[in-house]
Amino acid sequence: MVRVFSLAVACVLALSAVAEGATSRKRNTSAQERPAPQQAAQEPDEFRSCDVAVREFVQGRKEAAALPVTEVKVDSLRMTLNFIHPYGESGDTPPNLAFTRGESIEERRKALNEAKQRARLLAEAARTGNVWYVITTRTEVSPGEERRSSTSALTNQGQQPSANAVVMASIEGRCITVSQYEAVPLSSLSADLQQALGQRAREASPTENPPQPPPS
């Protein structure tokens, strides 16, 4: 009778051990099958590798805009570029005449071909959304301008608001400053771009539209 009871106890213990082992394996399997919590996906920056340079140029100013360049017009004869954006265009850059520094014809031809190849890469980068026209209104004047404006009230009144702009491109994971535009008159920008920069339409002065005398 004692042997039967001992055998029964041993069977119960063995079954308990088997059940605990099965439960433990089930827990481990469930833990393995349970997907690990995914890390928060990093939001891609719209400016790619130029993310820092664009914001550094803007420096938090409200009167600024970073516009995607949709097309690059290349004038291979005059060696100029013109960047087309949703609010218009940048205007032609100064001609790239760096190839003229070569001492021989072969060196100049090689430099010219390299400049044309860079222009083609830039045009391709614009087609893939990797070129930006960044513009901000000027809030400071240089010491020379401040000195000239302080000498005459007329000079100060004659100053026109302007903006600075830069074209940046993300090529092969690097941010390249392609061209810079300084002291761009706001009047030369499209009305939509002026509005995007927070500029109100300039009201006509009384001297521009003098009152008409009543008809006699």
Side-chain angles (χ1 to χ4, degrees):
M1 183 70 178
V2 175
R3 290 180 180 178
V4 173
F5 179 76
S6 299
L7 181 60
V9 171
C11 291
V12 170
L13 294 176
L15 290 174
S16 299
V18 171
E20 291 180 358
T23 303
S24 177
R25 288 194 298 273
K26 184 177 180 180
R27 290 176 180 174
N28 293 337
T29 303
S30 299
Q32 293 176 358
E33 293 177 352
R34 187 182 303 117
Q38 296 181 354
Q39 297 180 352
Q42 185 177 2
E43 183 179 355
D45 196 288
E46 59 181 324
F47 304 116
R48 279 71 167 185
S49 60
C50 293
D51 53 354
V52 174
V54 169
R55 293 171 176 85
E56 184 178 5
F57 183 81
V58 172
Q59 293 185 359
R61 298 190 182 100
K62 293 183 179 180
E63 299 79 9
L67 308 174
V69 173
T70 57
E71 181 185 358
V72 179
K73 292 184 177 180
V74 181
D75 189 332
S76 58
L77 176 61
R78 298 171 179 82
M79 296 303 295
T80 61
L81 303 173
N82 189 8
F83 304 95
I84 312 302
H85 54 76
Y87 290 145
E89 56 187 50
S90 66
D92 290 337
T93 61
N96 182 5
L97 302 179
F99 66 92
T100 61
R101 301 170 187 169
E103 296 183 357
S104 65
I105 294 297
E106 289 302 322
E107 290 178 353
R108 294 183 181 184
R109 183 177 290 111
K110 180 180 178 181
L112 177 60
N113 289 331
E114 290 176 352
K116 290 162 61 177
Q117 177 62 20
R118 285 193 296 269
R120 284 192 290 267
L121 289 175
L122 190 59
E124 179 60 29
R127 283 192 289 269
T128 56
N130 287 287
V131 184
W132 298 271
Y133 176 78
V134 190
I135 183 169
T136 178
T137 58
R138 299 182 65 186
T139 57
E140 299 177 357
V141 296
S142 64
E145 291 178 344
E146 185 176 1
R147 184 167 54 253
R148 288 193 301 269
S149 62
S150 62
T151 57
S152 172
L154 294 177
T155 304
N156 189 30
Q157 293 176 359
Q159 289 181 346
Q160 297 295 329
S162 60
N164 290 339
V166 65
V167 176
M168 299 179 182
S170 176
I171 298 178
E172 297 180 351
R174 296 186 301 114
C175 184
I176 300 174
T177 299
V178 180
S179 183
Q180 293 182 336
Y181 301 84
E182 296 183 355
V184 180
L186 292 182
S187 58
S188 67
L189 306 177
S190 67
D192 291 339
L193 182 51
Q194 292 185 45
Q195 185 176 2
L197 293 174
Q199 301 296 316
R200 297 180 179 178
R202 188 173 64 91
E203 296 180 358
S205 63
T207 56
E208 292 177 345
N209 291 323
Q212 300 295 327
S216 57

